[in-house]
Amino acid sequence: MQVLTRPWGAMHYHCDTAAAGPTVVFATSLGTDLRLWDAVLPLLPGIRALRFDMRGHGLSDAPESLGLSIADLAEDAAALIEAVAGGPVVFVGLSIGGMIGQMLAVARPDLVRALVLSNTAAKMGSADSWNARIAAIEAGGIASIADAVMERWFAAPFRATPELAPWRNMLIRTPVSGYAAACGAIAAADLGATTARIGQPTLVIAGAEDGASPPEVVQATAALIPGAAFHVIPGTGHLPPVETPAAFAALLIPFLKEHAR
């Protein structure tokens, strides 16, 4: 177990310490942990992969985090990069992980060499919708919303396979306090002005069947970033590293070759 001590508690991370390549940081989505990247990492040779469980998720501590912000989560990521990588990295963020990446690239440009934003946006949903989700899980637990979340996460063919069950289990086993705090951070975030200031090379990826961050929403965010490349992966939902890891890796490989060193 690899742990970084933060003011709020223990932050669990995993780094391929034996790897000699450039460090690439992978940030997860709401309701998942660092296993989100398991299928895609073997397809990305020659990198030192650094991934982490954001607060309230996976094996990281789940403090009561009323008023948690994307800026707070970006500070956690910055602290991890400074402690483990010690210098600029390529940052790959999915969903809320992509929001963290947008914030970090502007707040700490010394730590971000290039940026990959997957299935994310400068603003995701409305505050009312996120507050309704918080109320639902506080009343009925995360299981009460799990089926609806699976429909947003995955395209229909994947939902018909046995592989769906572990991801549903991962979601419902997330602490309610951690999930609700992250929902609150997304609800309060409108990063448009920040995202328009991103100066690093940026690759933006969407899933054609994504019900959480539809391709047109992701594309609108890509349009804010000067020179950003935008790609849509067909037949996949909100979590391409799970559903279509080969297609996801095929987009990352040339980007990493160009910008990771």
Side-chain angles (χ1 to χ4, degrees):
M1 293 294 178
Q2 296 166 303
V3 175
L4 178 69
T5 300
R6 298 290 293 141
W8 48 266
M11 181 177 177
H12 173 242
Y13 71 93
H14 182 80
C15 185
D16 299 325
T17 53
T23 302
V24 181
V25 177
F26 295 85
T28 62
S29 61
L30 176 67
T32 67
D33 61 35
L34 55 74
R35 290 172 291 182
L36 176 71
W37 305 103
D38 280 357
V40 78
L41 289 184
L43 306 178
L44 303 173
I47 67 168
R48 183 185 187 221
L50 172 58
R51 43 190 172 141
F52 62 95
D53 293 334
M54 67 179 170
R55 63 176 86 179
H57 287 67
L59 299 182
S60 290
D61 277 343
E64 294 294 336
S65 299
L66 297 177
L68 181 67
S69 69
I70 298 298
D72 295 330
L73 297 171
E75 287 178 6
D76 290 339
L80 181 66
I81 294 168
E82 289 179 321
V84 179
V89 301
V90 177
F91 191 95
V92 181
L94 192 151
S95 192
I96 189 175
M99 300 185 91
I100 294 169
Q102 292 169 65
M103 177 67 71
L104 183 67
V106 174
R108 293 296 307 272
D110 57 310
L111 297 180
V112 181
R113 184 189 309 278
L115 189 62
V116 179
L117 303 175
S118 179
N119 303 77
T120 190
K123 182 172 177 57
M124 296 184 67
S126 67
D128 287 347
S129 67
W130 288 109
N131 290 332
R133 189 182 300 197
I134 293 169
I137 65 170
E138 288 178 343
I142 296 178
S144 67
I145 65 167
D147 291 338
V149 171
M150 293 301 103
E151 291 183 4
R152 289 190 289 270
W153 275 10
F154 299 114
F158 186 90
R159 296 201 307 271
T161 69
E163 284 75 20
L164 179 71
W167 297 99
R168 189 181 189 280
N169 290 338
M170 183 184 291
L171 171 68
I172 65 177
R173 292 171 187 174
T174 303
V176 168
S177 62
Y179 190 93
C183 287
I186 299 172
D190 187 347
L191 306 180
T194 299
T195 299
R197 293 163 51 203
I198 291 173
Q200 295 91 333
T202 303
L203 169 65
V204 184
I205 300 170
E209 308 298 324
D210 188 346
S213 52
E216 61 273 15
V217 175
V218 181
Q219 186 173 23
T221 295
L224 296 173
I225 304 170
F230 174 71
H231 296 274
V232 179
I233 301 178
T236 192
H238 192 56
L239 305 180
V242 176
E243 250 181 310
T244 51
F248 191 82
L251 293 174
L252 260 62
I253 288 169
F255 186 81
L256 294 177
K257 284 182 177 178
E258 183 175 1
H259 300 295
R261 294 186 183 275

